[in-house]
Amino acid sequence: MDGNGRWATGRGLSRVDGHKAGVKAIRPVIEELDRQGVHIVTLYAFSTENWQRPSDEVGALMGLFEQTIILELDEMHRNGIQIRLIGRREDLSDTLRNLVTDAEKVTANNQKAILNVAINYGGRKELVWAIRELAGAGSDLAKVEEEQISAALYTAGLPDPDLIIRTAGEMRTSNFLLWQAAYAELYVTDVLWPDFGATDVGLALDEYRKRTRKFGAVVPS
Ligand code: FPP
């Protein structure tokens, strides 16, 4: 969800105002994805590197995460959405960690859609933690298989992403789902996240549907 800062400074607003506008953009995007048949979505909200931002911006983002869970949980639960945190929860404040854990518990049996929220998430760290977990559980790392690593990631049991949408024109993956995104289709748009809406979802999915996915093989002509 890139471009909140640019969206705000372009309007003479604070970066935090940009993040607030970014929060407002989320619901219509998820609703349109759902309408178009995409029922598993991951929002990259805060990376393990984002702690390096100024402390007032980090504090404001953490406050927004808390506020959004409080405001949106009931509606998401009514809509059958299962919420999951992907990221290292141990480093979050007690308040945010408890809110997230409660949201996960309340929505655990919902089946209509899965919304992963990546907070304090980093793909490299996720792999390090997964390997440590396997070692701690007594797995023989000299014989480790792909399936074991997949099963030790935050996304265990979920399919790999088919499409990654990056807003604000950045041509990087920025440590997002490094393992899982091996064959994901990338779609980059110049639209800044707060301006990204249902029409932009449609454009991204139209582009995705035109792609030929070969997974490294040859597609018969
Ligand atoms: C990147 O834009 C955006 C972020 C680091 C924060 C994204 C978080 C939200 C939109 C809030 C989401 C809330 C929930 C509950 C999921 P940037 O600040 O790097 O923008 P810039 O590149 O233009 O400076």
Side-chain angles (χ1 to χ4, degrees), residues 1-6 15 19 23 26 45 50 53 65 68 117:
M1 297 183 286
D2 215 347
N4 296 345
R6 276 164 276 178
R15 293 181 56 81
H19 294 314
V23 172
I26 293 173
N50 284 153
R53 292 187 174 214
F65 300 148
T68 308
V117 185

Side-chain angles (χ1 to χ4, degrees), residues 132 154 165:
R132 285 185 192 166
Y154 294 118
I165 299 174

Side-chain angles (χ1 to χ4, degrees), residues 36-47:
Q36 297 221 28
V38 179
H39 306 302
I40 304 178
V41 177
T42 301
L43 296 172
Y44 199 7
F46 194 90
S47 73

